Amino acid sequence: MQANEFNEVLLNRRSLRALATTPIPREMSLRVLEAARWAPSCSNSQPWRFVVIEDEPELNAVKSALKPGNQKWASSAPMIIVVCANPEDDYLASGQPLYLFDCGLATENLLLQGVAEGLVMHPMAGWEEQPMKDAIGLPDPYRVVCVIAAGFPGPVENLDVDLQEREKSPRVRKPLDEIVVFGTWPKV
Ligand SMILES: Cc1cc2nc3c(=O)[nH]c(=O)nc-3n(C[C@H](O)[C@H](O)[C@H](O)COP(=O)(O)O)c2cc1C
């Protein structure tokens, strides 16, 4: 693969909300999950677990555990992936909860593979944890780290008007000179 092709995948990844109800073929979801499996993790601890929900009544239960703002658009998703981890699996190298960082890396792999497959993959933090755990049967001490709505792109007209506008709005990022320091941290 050319570097510019990879860049295209990066730039095409968007947290879109218009999702078709069409099911995702199993071989496609396996490729997406396989991409997550190859993420780096601290001491190769691989703390991530992925609970893939596609069938009723669990799919509806998972959607009911989303915050209302997410329910509005994620209700059409044919698949919800719940990224989970056991905090006790944390590899304490720096006194930071690195299992969350590792799960983030795996999640990004998953999102990017999804984009390369032509899917919309939208990560969410807006959910209620205990109802989400109940919906997927997740035991303690596992925690829900991230919830991803997945599906093929769907009709934008089905979204609320404000969300239709957000769907088409340009993506905004801080400029490099605000987030990068070459050399040491500038003195004030
Ligand atoms: C950890 C995390 C939590 C997020 N939670 C939500 C959410 O609950 N609802 C939502 O609509 N978008 C959510 N997003 C999507 C972000 O709003 C989105 O990534 C950001 O605005 C940048 O847009 P882009 O992903 O299209 O580049 C979340 C993203 C991340 C990484």
Side-chain angles (χ1 to χ4, degrees):
M1 185 201 266
Q2 304 280 322
N4 58 348
E5 285 175 323
F6 181 64
N7 215 260
E8 209 172 300
V9 174
L10 286 181
L11 294 177
N12 280 338
R13 190 210 54 75
R14 278 196 76 153
S15 300
L16 296 171
R17 294 180 174 82
L19 292 163
T21 54
T22 319
I24 299 174
R26 179 53 56 91
E27 61 273 19
M28 195 177 268
S29 26
L30 285 175
R31 285 195 295 270
V32 165
L33 293 158
E34 183 70 13
R37 195 166 78 90
W38 286 103
S41 59
C42 190
S43 198
N44 205 16
S45 56
Q46 304 164 69
W48 44 72
R49 300 290 180 272
F50 303 97
V51 180
V52 182
I53 304 290
E54 300 170 287
D55 298 322
E56 299 297 354
E58 293 82 5
L59 189 57
N60 195 40
V62 163
K63 289 172 182 172
S64 301
L66 297 175
K67 292 266 169 77
N70 286 330
Q71 282 181 17
K72 268 190 184 177
W73 57 268
S75 54
S76 60
M79 179 191 282
I80 301 274
I81 303 173
V82 186
V83 185
C84 312
N86 179 349
E88 293 167 12
D89 284 344
D90 200 16
Y91 188 87
L92 279 175
S94 62
Q96 306 236 43
L98 287 172
Y99 77 99
L100 295 174
F101 184 80
D102 295 338
C103 286
L105 292 171
T107 299
E108 178 70 343
N109 269 19
L110 187 146
L111 301 180
L112 292 175
Q113 183 67 36
V115 172
E117 301 279 350
L119 294 170
V120 170
M121 312 274 292
H122 191 136
M124 294 175 280
W127 29 265
E128 304 289 348
E129 186 165 22
Q130 195 53 54
M132 187 61 76
K133 288 180 72 167
D134 292 344
I136 64 170
L138 188 71
D140 289 334
Y142 278 88
R143 300 285 313 263
V144 177
V145 177
C146 186
V147 177
I148 301 161
F152 290 98
V156 179
E157 313 78 69
N158 289 358
L159 295 173
D160 288 355
V161 176
D162 56 324
L163 293 183
Q164 288 186 28
E165 275 165 29
R166 281 172 78 175
E167 203 79 345
K168 294 174 201 149
S169 63
R171 292 165 80 217
V172 180
R173 287 297 188 270
K174 292 175 181 167
L176 265 194
D177 62 7
E178 198 180 325
I179 61 168
V180 179
V181 174
F182 285 103
T184 58
W185 196 264
K187 293 190 172 50
V188 279

